[in-house]
Amino acid sequence: MKKSIQIVFLFLVANFSFGQINFGKPEVNPDAIQLNFLDWNVYQINNIMLSRDFIALDAAANVISKETFLNELALGNYFPIKLLTKDATIYYQLFKINAKSDTSIKATIMQTAFDEKKNFEMEGKLFPEFSCKDLNGNLITNNSMKGKIVVIKCWYIHCAACIREFPKVNNLVENYKNRNDIIFLSLAEDTPEQLDIFLNKKPLSYLVVPNMKIYMNEVLQLNAFPTHFIVDKEGRILKVLSNFESLEVALEKICAD
């Protein structure tokens, strides 16, 4: 073997080996975690966040696109498990759903993956046109938000998961209060009267726009709440996120770039 070929070969082996040690075994036993729905659901809620950035692996641990990963989940044959790693990189791998697993696991995964796939497909597109007034009477339009990073929370007052996030999103606003180029905006289904009463008891630091049910259902076509958007200064959707934890990580990364 020629010396130049040997060098190339050793380089490829070294890089392959380095790539292999970035992730290890599943952090939970794939068979045990799907024995009952409650155990699986607790694990998924606390450890799997499909709206955040991650490296996707198929059942054979080959790297695949996030779109392919979500498509496979939506078909209902696999569920995701996070892999143990030596760094902060997140790896999710597909594992086969056993025939004897609770049918609720398959149904929940399919619905979640469908919603996440739809959200993922919105990324990179312009945020749909709108013109509305917040509770203080300020007119907000796509044009008025140009030149700003816009963080949007979609919610309604009877959404328990939406309300649980209030202290966290309020802290997020506080953390970025010195960033004049960031706007925190919330779109709510409810009427001004309902929101005035509700927010008097549970304050929200975002600008609040009422009566957005039709817009969120028909224009944004949201199926799950809360849903968060991060829109860039040109009005393009950077991220669509289903929970605060993913929002916090994504916003920190965007602001650091």
Side-chain angles (χ1 to χ4, degrees):
M1 186 181 290
K2 292 182 179 180
K3 186 175 181 180
S4 60
I5 296 177
Q6 287 178 319
I7 293 173
V8 172
F9 177 75
L10 291 173
F11 174 79
L12 291 174
V13 170
N15 276 276
F16 176 77
S17 299
F18 177 77
Q20 288 295 95
I21 62 172
N22 281 346
F23 60 87
K25 296 179 180 180
E27 63 179 8
V28 294
N29 184 299
D31 293 321
I33 198 64
Q34 56 179 312
L35 289 178
N36 68 76
F37 178 79
L38 288 179
D39 287 344
W40 170 83
N41 195 46
V42 169
Y43 170 75
Q44 293 287 305
I45 291 173
N46 292 325
N47 297 277
I48 303 297
M49 299 178 190
L50 296 175
S51 56
R52 66 169 46 183
D53 293 330
F54 61 88
I55 295 178
L57 304 173
D58 65 14
N62 298 310
V63 176
I64 56 177
S65 69
K66 183 174 181 178
E67 182 178 13
T68 300
F69 188 87
L70 293 175
N71 281 334
E72 290 292 339
L73 291 178
L75 291 174
N77 297 318
Y78 297 95
F79 70 101
I81 288 183
K82 186 178 180 182
L83 302 184
L84 298 173
T85 62
K86 294 183 178 181
D87 57 26
T89 307
I90 296 174
Y91 291 84
Y92 292 155
Q93 184 177 350
L94 297 174
F95 286 87
K96 195 75 174 177
I97 296 178
N98 296 333
K100 295 182 179 180
S101 294
D102 191 319
T103 55
S104 296
I105 294 177
K106 180 175 182 176
T108 303
I109 289 172
M110 291 177 69
Q111 183 60 55
T112 301
F114 175 82
D115 292 339
E116 294 289 358
K117 180 175 178 291
K118 184 167 63 64
N119 289 345
F120 179 66
E121 290 171 347
M122 295 179 70
E123 294 177 5
K125 298 180 180 178
L126 290 173
F127 192 79
E129 187 172 345
F130 73 101
S131 177
C132 51
K133 290 184 178 181
D134 67 13
L135 289 177
N136 296 319
N138 300 308
L139 180 64
I140 302 173
T141 67
N142 301 75
N143 285 333
S144 71
M145 296 191 303
K146 284 287 182 69
K148 305 283 187 180
I149 296 172
V150 187
V151 181
I152 302 172
K153 173 182 171 74
C154 299
W155 68 288
Y156 58 96
I157 62 176
H158 295 297
C159 168
C162 302
I163 309 310
R164 279 198 301 269
E165 290 187 339
F166 272 29
K168 295 177 180 179
V169 297
N170 286 342
N171 285 338
L172 193 67
V173 175
E174 177 66 20
N175 291 340
Y176 288 92
K177 65 182 180 181
N178 295 324
R179 289 287 301 256
N180 295 324
D181 60 336
I182 301 179
I183 296 175
F184 291 89
L185 176 69
S186 80
L187 309 182
E189 289 189 356
D190 316 280
T191 66
E193 294 76 18
Q194 291 170 322
L195 288 166
D196 283 338
I197 295 172
F198 183 82
L199 294 174
N200 188 50
K201 298 177 181 179
K202 295 184 178 293
L204 178 62
S205 298
Y206 283 44
L207 300 175
V208 181
V209 178
N211 296 324
M212 296 300 286
K213 182 175 183 178
I214 294 176
Y215 180 83
M216 290 191 288
N217 290 347
E218 297 183 5
V219 180
L220 297 181
Q221 297 185 355
L222 299 182
N223 295 321
F225 294 87
T227 295
H228 303 271
F229 292 84
I230 302 178
V231 181
D232 70 13
K233 295 181 179 183
E234 300 302 318
R236 201 168 297 277
I237 299 170
L238 292 176
K239 297 294 293 183
V240 185
L241 308 145
S242 56
N243 55 70
F244 171 79
E245 289 73 19
S246 296
L247 168 65
E248 184 178 36
V249 171
L251 185 59
E252 182 178 359
K253 182 178 179 181
I254 289 167
C255 289
D257 291 340

